[in-house]
Amino acid sequence: FLKCIHSLSGFFFIVLLKRITGNNVFHPSDKPVFTPPRLVVKYGDPTSATCSVLHISDVFGLDNSVGDFTINRTTILWTVEKITEWDTSAICYYINAAKDLCCTSLPVTVHKPPDSVSISFRNHSGPLLEGHQYTLQCEVHNVAPVENLTVTFYRGQTALGQLQSNNTEKKPVTEIFTLSINTRKEDDGVQYWCEAKLKLGPEGPQPPIVVTSEKFSATVNSTPAPETTPSTSSTPTPNCSHLWFPDGGTGYQMLSEVSPHNSTYYALVVHFFNLSPCTLPYRLALNIYFKVSYCTEALVLFITCKSL
């Protein structure tokens, strides 16, 4: 009732105050009645509603932000050719036999389905590691009203979680929903996707509007076993040469066998012949420390030119 009062023009507000100060009682049964009692309209579509009152009144009308209305005795027909405002309303009012101002507000929800829905892992690309936590994000583009949106995350056909927005913006917005998951080895190759459902109540589209993302398959690798201290009784021979031996020159020679340096790194000395900046009669000496299990993690401690 108060919401409807504040939306009326100043004249009718003053009339109402006079009625209240005159100890007149407002009777809810005298309220105008809208048919339907709520409108759910797609942006750009036409719409209409009817307001009816119990008695003919000299003061009978409609406060409306869009559209036109016609009065026929105790009925008002409100019509809108094309809804182009996201926050719209209509208030029907009249003065009853007791000289009280009665009014009813018609709730109007203007909606728009999402342009698209996409899913990805936040701040991650490539294979996943078993037993680690990752964040899925579902991005819903240009939807209204977002507070009526429900997003569900799926792994295969299993629902992982359901989220809703607390954003009350009536105009279209793009919103990102996130969900943390823990990976399992049995999830290798499974498809992840998300679904955006616009639930607008019984007056809205039936079934509700649903837009889904594309599905993508995730690769889950086993977590590598912890590194152990290399045994001094055997010499490992990792195949890492393709990462360290550049093109050019007349060849290279390993002048020391791979040997343990500490619990993490191994050591190797390699000489290159006729390779810039150490061209003949000098050779380029590289002292390299590297991780056996990860050939790309290498440390070149120093480079020197030595005479042949």
Side-chain angles (χ1 to χ4, degrees):
F1 174 65
L2 290 177
K3 178 181 178 181
C4 140
I5 292 172
H6 290 298
S7 301
L8 289 172
S9 62
F11 169 75
F12 292 112
F13 195 163
I14 293 171
V15 171
L16 177 62
L17 290 178
K18 287 182 178 179
R19 297 306 98 195
I20 293 174
T21 54
N23 294 324
N24 290 311
V25 179
F26 171 72
H27 300 284
S29 60
D30 290 343
K31 288 178 62 177
V33 176
F34 271 108
T35 306
R38 176 175 176 250
L39 284 177
V40 177
V41 191
K42 183 179 179 181
Y43 183 83
D45 281 1
T47 191
S48 64
T50 301
C51 174
S52 302
V53 295
L54 295 175
H55 310 288
I56 296 176
S57 172
D58 293 334
V59 179
F60 180 33
L62 194 77
D63 254 13
N64 55 309
S65 56
V66 295
D68 300 307
F69 68 90
T70 55
I71 301 177
N72 182 12
R73 296 174 61 82
T74 59
T75 302
I76 293 179
L77 175 63
W78 177 51
T79 58
V80 183
E81 290 185 1
K82 188 177 182 180
I83 286 283
T84 56
E85 292 187 12
W86 296 101
D87 190 1
T88 188
S89 63
I91 298 174
C92 187
Y93 59 85
Y94 84 113
I95 292 181
N96 64 9
K99 305 302 180 182
D100 293 316
L101 179 64
C102 307
C103 60
T104 299
S105 177
L106 174 67
V108 181
T109 300
V110 182
H111 69 87
K112 178 192 172 300
D115 288 341
S116 62
V117 177
S118 60
I119 189 170
S120 61
F121 281 106
R122 171 170 286 185
N123 301 325
H124 181 83
S125 60
L128 311 176
L129 279 178
E130 175 190 8
H132 285 59
Q133 188 176 82
Y134 298 90
T135 300
L136 283 168
Q137 62 179 26
C138 184
E139 188 167 357
V140 184
H141 299 263
N142 208 26
V143 61
V146 70
E147 66 178 338
N148 290 84
L149 190 71
T150 300
V151 168
T152 306
F153 291 85
Y154 288 90
R155 179 163 52 201
Q157 295 304 313
T158 302
L160 299 175
Q162 198 172 78
L163 300 173
Q164 288 184 291
S165 174
N166 56 6
N167 188 346
T168 59
E169 175 60 57
K170 296 184 181 298
K171 295 181 179 180
V173 297
T174 294
E175 188 147 337
I176 296 176
F177 300 81
T178 61
L179 181 73
S180 295
I181 63 166
N182 292 309
T183 52
R184 308 168 301 176
K185 184 56 183 174
E186 54 265 36
D187 296 330
D188 184 36
V190 76
Q191 290 185 320
Y192 289 92
W193 55 288
C194 62
E195 173 191 87
K197 181 180 291 186
L198 200 56
K199 296 180 178 180
L200 298 167
E203 299 86 0
Q206 300 298 327
I209 298 167
V210 175
V211 181
T212 60
S213 70
E214 291 186 356
K215 299 177 181 180
F216 74 92
S217 298
T219 300
V220 180
N221 292 335
S222 298
T223 303
E227 294 181 16
T228 57
T229 303
S231 172
T232 56
S233 60
S234 60
T235 302
T237 55
N239 183 19
C240 299
S241 60
H242 61 286
L243 299 174
W244 296 328
F245 302 152
D247 294 333
T250 57
Y252 62 88
Q253 180 183 7
M254 295 186 187
L255 295 189
S256 71
E257 292 185 347
V258 177
S259 59
H261 174 66
N262 55 30
S263 61
T264 303
Y265 286 95
Y266 285 80
L268 177 66
V269 178
V270 180
H271 285 192
F272 296 94
F273 299 99
N274 197 24
L275 184 67
S276 178
C278 300
T279 53
L280 294 175
Y282 297 96
R283 58 190 173 185
L284 182 67
L286 277 72
N287 287 61
I288 302 170
Y289 284 7
F290 65 96
K291 285 185 176 180
V292 167
S293 56
Y294 299 96
C295 294
T296 56
E297 298 187 34
L299 300 177
V300 179
L301 296 189
F302 57 88
I303 301 175
T304 57
C305 286
K306 295 183 178 181
S307 60
L308 292 174

